[in-house]
Amino acid sequence: GAVVSQHPSWVICKSGTSVKIECRSLDFQATTMFWYRQFPKQSLMLMATSNEGSKATYEQGVEKDKFLINHASLTLSTLTVTSAHPEDSSFYICSARDLAGVGSRFFGPGTRLTVL
Amino acid sequence: DAKTTQPNSMESNEEEPVHLPCNHSTISGTDYIHWYRQLPSQGPEYVIHGLTSNVNNRMASLAIAEDRKSSTLILHRATLRDAAVYYCILKLGGSQGNLIFGKGTKLSVKP
């Protein structure tokens, strides 16, 4: 099946710094990528939807200036957590939909962010 | 998005079949029923999806009620590697709609 990778798989940073997470579709072109956040023992929460070459669409309650999303190519989307704080510590997961737009989505392995 | 209801947790014995139920009484005619699972510290993994007819693939079977208000994911022989949280999600067909995750069912498999 289609493969989605994320980098890094885990990151620890100091409060106030910015962290960039990459999401790549390895064997298909993704017109749309989705970013989720998952706190411990909770379900995934959709943060935003990004389409290649256009601005991301953020879910209600998600600060677009804090979570910067760039989808510059059909195989790469990045999420930058700006001025991270301990409450931003979470498991960030991306998902991609291929050009064919089939119903199933492919998920990355996730990035564990810990902000000290 | 239409809501789904699943039991919080279920237990199974290894090598026995597992039936994971999902209620979706407000499903609309254009909603597909998707199942994903998430192993600990990993991203979700697609399991199966269907619209009206029962579906089978190498991972599982999906049984959909005639009125489509409920469905059941069937793992024919549970293994220890099947221990995960299973999510039942309704989504518009094709490229439309987002995958909105509920709480899912945490499946434990005992050796």
Side-chain angles (χ1 to χ4, degrees):
Chain A
V3 177
V4 175
S5 71
Q6 283 184 238
H7 179 81
S9 55
W10 60 269
V11 57
I12 302 173
C13 70
K14 291 182 179 180
S15 185
T17 60
S18 295
V19 175
K20 181 185 285 188
I21 302 170
E22 292 184 349
C23 175
R24 293 183 185 272
S25 56
L26 297 184
D27 52 1
F28 67 99
Q29 293 183 318
T31 51
T32 305
M33 288 186 173
F34 307 85
W35 286 96
Y36 292 82
R37 179 169 54 180
Q38 185 175 33
F39 293 109
K41 298 191 185 302
Q42 294 187 24
S43 187
L44 285 78
M45 286 174 41
L46 180 64
M47 299 175 66
T49 302
S50 75
N51 293 296
E52 186 263 339
S54 64
K55 289 184 179 179
T57 303
Y58 291 82
E59 295 297 302
Q60 193 172 11
V62 178
E63 300 174 57
K64 62 180 181 181
D65 294 330
K66 181 168 184 62
F67 299 99
L68 301 179
I69 292 172
N70 185 290
H71 192 163
S73 77
L74 287 173
T75 58
L76 174 65
S77 176
T78 60
L79 168 68
T80 301
V81 183
T82 62
S83 186
H85 291 283
E87 57 266 30
D88 298 322
S89 298
S90 188
F91 194 46
Y92 291 86
I93 304 167
C94 73
S95 174
R97 182 176 71 205
D98 65 20
L99 278 173
V102 298
S104 57
R105 305 275 167 83
F106 308 103
F107 285 83
T111 296
R112 177 78 58 193
L113 170 64
T114 302
V115 185
L116 302 176
Chain B
D1 299 289
K3 189 176 176 182
T4 62
T5 305
Q6 298 177 252
N8 289 334
S9 62
M10 289 184 66
E11 274 192 356
S12 170
N13 293 319
E14 195 176 12
E15 311 236 325
E16 289 186 357
V18 182
H19 290 231
L20 297 164
C22 180
N23 287 320
H24 28 78
S25 58
T26 59
I27 190 170
S28 73
T30 51
D31 285 333
Y32 280 72
I33 302 159
H34 287 249
W35 284 82
Y36 283 77
R37 72 179 185 180
Q38 186 179 24
L39 279 65
S41 298
Q42 294 187 30
E45 174 187 28
Y46 169 78
V47 179
I48 201 166
H49 78 283
L51 183 61
T52 55
S53 304
N54 294 344
V55 184
N56 298 297
N57 66 22
R58 63 174 181 82
M59 288 183 69
S61 295
L62 176 60
I64 301 173
E66 203 167 323
D67 63 5
R68 300 209 327 126
K69 293 187 176 183
S70 66
S71 61
T72 302
L73 179 70
I74 302 166
L75 306 179
H76 296 286
R77 287 183 66 193
T79 69
L80 297 178
R81 287 177 293 179
D82 291 323
V85 179
Y86 287 79
Y87 296 98
C88 168
I89 303 168
L90 302 183
K91 194 185 84 65
L92 290 172
S95 61
Q96 302 177 76
N98 291 326
L99 284 174
I100 304 299
F101 287 77
K103 294 183 179 179
T105 296
K106 184 175 182 179
L107 175 66
S108 302
V109 180
K110 295 185 291 184

